[in-house]
């Protein structure tokens, strides 16, 4: 019988008050494990434990904290295969994605924040040369970074390893303590991360993990008076509700929310590069990623060729068991989400879009699969173009000139990551600078993991990754003295 997971609260493994629920493998529809359902009191106990642990942990030297993160990185790397197997069973990720982009990236993130440069900890001294009292009133000033306190980390279901590590590692490095509330669909991987941190020597209460399907679990983890900051990755709608609670309590926020990335393909673009980049929407997490270029804006001179090549690309992708080595597109997370994705494809038809490839349910014995769908002849007012579908669906909108393409790209509630393809790099950068998005990929969908990550508009608040994450999980304190 599959083991039943305990909560991790105050350094102890605790039986959940709410019992357990089944975590379903989206590829087999079988039970991958049993996750704990925390009660509100247990969540508040986790927050209180984090508060109690904050003082000692924040006073621990940066070198000691870094050593814990380094040992955790080693343990995660040593257990890559079993950890990836669990992640695959929870999320339906392909083997390469589970090992490389989930567990592998998590280990790399812990390693990154175990090697923080001295310059990242403090802001250089700044002297006020012209104060209100003139030279006689010159004061020395030093700006330093202090930990925020207790951070509630609420993570998304598409990548339980990398997403959680991207919050926990920099938060711990800065001297914060954390309460992690993982997504209900795939919490078991996060408990394995907690085990690795415990084995690496993290003191009791510094890391706590509480899970549950009830919305009350997350609500308690956000509203607790012991919590100073909330770091959330998920939908804009949920993020807005969390932000309201944070506003009432004056809690710090880091919000990485929805996206509907525009891929602006200009008429001088290398279409092979554009197709390969846009095609990651179909294969990478089966489109369940906020940074995907799901909204393609194609200049009319290359529109027909781009649609034809994208359709051919989508049809060639093998959909099926993510454990098979040649599978490219695995399942989406649940039956309910599969129904949602399919409903958007049908909505696109009703709105006047042409489904030129995919969208159907593959003939497979089990699993929550959707064949990669390409919708052409779309307009920017269609819901399939404006709303985040979070699945392997790409909508293509034609435009005439550069100005129209930029206007269409910016005509959205979102602004996380956009993309530009052009054979003229100067032209691509000119367009990129005019896009209202937190990041823009020029002729690539790749990421620089030291570059700031976050969104404009309803795609989020704040920036993280690299040094920016250390800034996000810290407060700036000014210390002044007579000159």
């Amino acid at each position: 019988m599959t083991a039943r997971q305990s909560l991790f609260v105050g350094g102890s493994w605790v039986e959940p008050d709410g019992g357990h629920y089944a975590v379903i493998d989206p590829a087999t529809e079988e039970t991958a494990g049993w996750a704990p359902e925390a009660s509100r009191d247990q969540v508040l106990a986790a927050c209180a434990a984090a508060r109690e642990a904050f003082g000692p942990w924040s006073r621990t030297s940066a070198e000691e904290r870094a050593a814990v993160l380094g040992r955790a990185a080693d343990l995660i790397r040593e257990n890559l295969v079993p950890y990836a197997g669990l992640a695959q069973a929870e999320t339906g990720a392909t083997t390469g994605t589970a090992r490389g982009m989930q567990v592998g990236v998590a280990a790399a993130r812990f390693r990154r924040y175990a090697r923080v440069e001295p310059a990242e900890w403090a802001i250089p001294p700044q002297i006020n040369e012209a104060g209100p009292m003139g030279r006689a009133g010159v004061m020395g000033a030093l700006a330093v970074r202090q930990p925020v306190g207790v951070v509630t980390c609420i993570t998304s279901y598409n990548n339980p390893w990398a997403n959680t590590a991207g919050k926990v590692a920099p938060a711990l490095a800065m001297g914060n303590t954390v309460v992690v509330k993982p997504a209900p669909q795939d919490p078991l991987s996060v408990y394995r991360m907690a085990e690795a941190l415990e084995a690496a020597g993290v003191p009791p209460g510094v890391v706590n993990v509480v899970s549950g399907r009830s919305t009350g679990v997350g609500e308690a983890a956000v509203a607790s008076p012991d919590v100073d900051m909330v770091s959330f990755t998920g939908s804009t709608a949920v993020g807005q509700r969390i932000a309201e609670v944070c506003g009432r309590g004056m809690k710090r926020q880091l919000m990485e929310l929805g996206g509907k990335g525009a891929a602006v393909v200009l008429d001088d673009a290398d279409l092979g590069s554009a197709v390969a980049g846009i095609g990651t929407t179909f294969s990478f997490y089966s489109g369940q990623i906020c940074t995907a270029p799901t909204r393609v804006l194609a200049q009319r001179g290359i529109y027909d060729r781009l649609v034809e090549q994208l359709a051919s690309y989508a049809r060639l992708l093998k959909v099926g068991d993510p454990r098979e080595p040649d599978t490219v597109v695995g399942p989406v997370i649940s039956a309910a989400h599969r129904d949602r994705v399919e409903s958007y494809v049908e909505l696109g038809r009703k709105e006047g879009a042409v489904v030129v490839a995919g969208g159907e349910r593959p003939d497979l014995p089990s699993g929550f699969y959707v064949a990669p769908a390409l919708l052409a002849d779309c307009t920017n007012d269609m819901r399939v173009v404006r709303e985040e579908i979070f699945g392997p669906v790409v909508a293509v909108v034609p435009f005439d000139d550069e100005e129209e393409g930029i206007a269409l790209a910016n005509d959205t509630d979102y602004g996380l990551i956009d993309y530009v393809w052009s054979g003229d790099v100067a032209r691509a950068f000119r367009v990129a600078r005019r896009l209202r998005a937190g990041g823009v990929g020029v002729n690539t969908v790749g990421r620089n993991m030291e570059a700031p990550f976050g969104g404009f508009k309803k795609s989020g608040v704040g920036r993280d990754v690299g040094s920016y994450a250390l800034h996000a999980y810290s407060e700036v304190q000014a210390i002044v003295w007579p000159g």
Side-chain angles (χ1 to χ4, degrees):
M1 183 177 178
T2 305
R4 294 178 181 267
Q5 178 64 52
S6 299
L7 304 168
F8 189 55
V9 177
S12 299
W13 295 95
V14 180
E15 284 302 299
D17 290 343
H20 293 81
Y21 66 91
V23 175
I24 302 302
D25 184 329
T28 65
E29 302 183 46
E30 297 175 354
T31 298
W34 293 90
E37 182 77 36
S39 66
R40 177 182 175 82
D41 286 345
Q42 288 179 312
V43 176
L44 295 178
C47 297
R51 169 60 60 200
E52 184 177 355
F54 170 65
W57 178 249
S58 65
R59 292 189 295 270
T60 300
S61 71
E63 291 75 17
E64 289 180 74
R65 297 197 298 263
V68 171
L69 298 182
R71 291 192 293 270
D74 291 341
L75 289 166
I76 292 169
R77 176 62 63 182
E78 289 168 9
N79 290 281
L80 185 147
V81 173
Y83 284 169
L86 176 59
Q88 188 171 55
E90 288 191 288
T91 67
T94 62
T95 300
T97 295
R99 292 183 181 182
M101 300 307 297
Q102 295 193 351
V103 182
V105 168
R109 285 181 168 172
F110 275 101
R111 178 59 59 194
R112 159 60 176 97
Y113 295 106
R115 295 173 177 167
V116 173
E117 297 295 326
E120 294 176 320
W121 291 98
I123 302 170
Q126 302 168 33
I127 302 300
N128 180 1
E129 294 288 2
M133 295 181 288
R135 294 289 302 177
V138 169
M139 302 288 286
L142 176 66
V144 297
R145 294 199 175 276
Q146 298 280 18
V148 177
V150 177
V151 182
T152 286
C153 303
I154 303 179
T155 62
S156 59
Y157 70 71
N158 58 346
N159 196 328
W161 279 95
N163 184 253
T164 306
K167 298 177 185 299
V168 170
L172 296 184
M174 280 305 305
N176 301 285
T177 56
V178 298
V179 176
V180 185
K181 192 280 176 185
Q185 297 92 336
D186 52 10
L188 301 177
S189 290
V190 179
Y191 286 105
R192 299 292 81 71
M193 184 182 296
E195 288 178 353
L197 283 161
E198 181 186 33
V202 68
V206 171
V207 175
N208 306 269
V209 183
V210 289
S211 59
R213 292 178 296 182
S214 167
T215 58
V217 175
E219 289 171 353
V222 169
S224 166
D226 286 313
V227 170
D228 302 291
M229 175 180 173
V230 177
S231 177
F232 171 72
T233 298
S235 72
T236 295
V238 175
Q240 288 171 322
R241 294 198 294 272
I242 291 173
E244 290 173 1
V245 177
C246 289
R248 289 194 294 270
M250 297 303 293
K251 300 176 191 283
R252 288 280 300 276
Q253 304 170 44
L254 180 59
M255 297 282 179
E256 198 270 281
L257 307 177
K260 191 72 176 180
V264 181
V265 186
L266 299 167
D267 54 11
D268 60 352
D270 178 338
L271 292 191
S273 172
V275 168
I278 295 164
T280 61
T281 300
F282 302 134
S283 56
F284 196 47
Y285 301 126
S286 302
Q288 298 168 113
I289 183 166
C290 53
T291 59
T294 56
R295 188 168 56 106
V296 177
L297 308 176
Q299 199 161 6
R300 289 194 189 276
I302 49 87
Y303 175 83
D304 289 336
R305 285 183 291 148
L306 181 64
V307 169
E308 180 182 354
Q309 291 182 33
L310 280 171
S312 297
Y313 185 95
R315 295 187 189 107
L316 289 174
L317 302 178
K318 180 188 172 182
V319 181
D321 185 347
R323 295 168 178 83
E324 294 294 330
D326 58 342
T327 292
V328 180
V329 183
V332 296
I333 194 68
S334 66
H337 191 56
R338 176 185 58 190
D339 292 345
R340 181 177 184 273
V341 173
E342 290 175 338
S343 72
Y344 267 105
V345 175
E346 183 57 31
L347 174 63
R349 285 194 179 95
K350 292 177 179 177
E351 290 181 313
V354 177
V355 181
V356 294
E360 71 278 1
R361 188 175 299 188
D363 184 18
L364 295 168
S366 64
F368 311 127
Y369 296 96
V370 179
L374 180 68
L375 281 63
D377 296 343
C378 297
T379 60
N380 218 46
D381 59 349
M382 292 179 177
R383 286 180 58 193
V384 291
V385 177
R386 304 197 68 82
E387 298 177 11
E388 186 177 37
I389 299 173
F390 220 59
V393 181
V394 170
V396 190
V397 178
F399 68 90
D400 290 313
D401 56 29
E402 191 174 296
E403 287 297 318
E404 184 187 9
I406 293 169
L408 289 172
N410 290 333
D411 181 18
T412 174
D413 290 337
Y414 298 107
L416 187 56
I417 304 290
D418 284 347
Y419 305 88
V420 181
W421 271 273
S422 172
D424 182 338
V425 175
R427 183 189 189 193
F429 271 79
R430 181 177 69 240
V431 172
R433 289 292 300 272
R434 294 183 62 190
L435 298 180
R436 298 288 296 165
V440 182
V442 172
N443 294 327
T444 183
V445 293
R447 289 266 306 279
N448 181 321
M449 297 311 293
E450 291 297 313
F453 180 73
F456 288 13
K457 298 183 279 187
K458 291 184 179 180
S459 284
V461 177
R463 297 293 182 270
D464 68 354
V465 179
S467 297
Y468 298 90
L470 298 173
H471 302 172
Y473 294 100
S474 63
E475 296 276 19
V476 177
Q477 180 186 60
I479 302 175
V480 298
W481 65 91

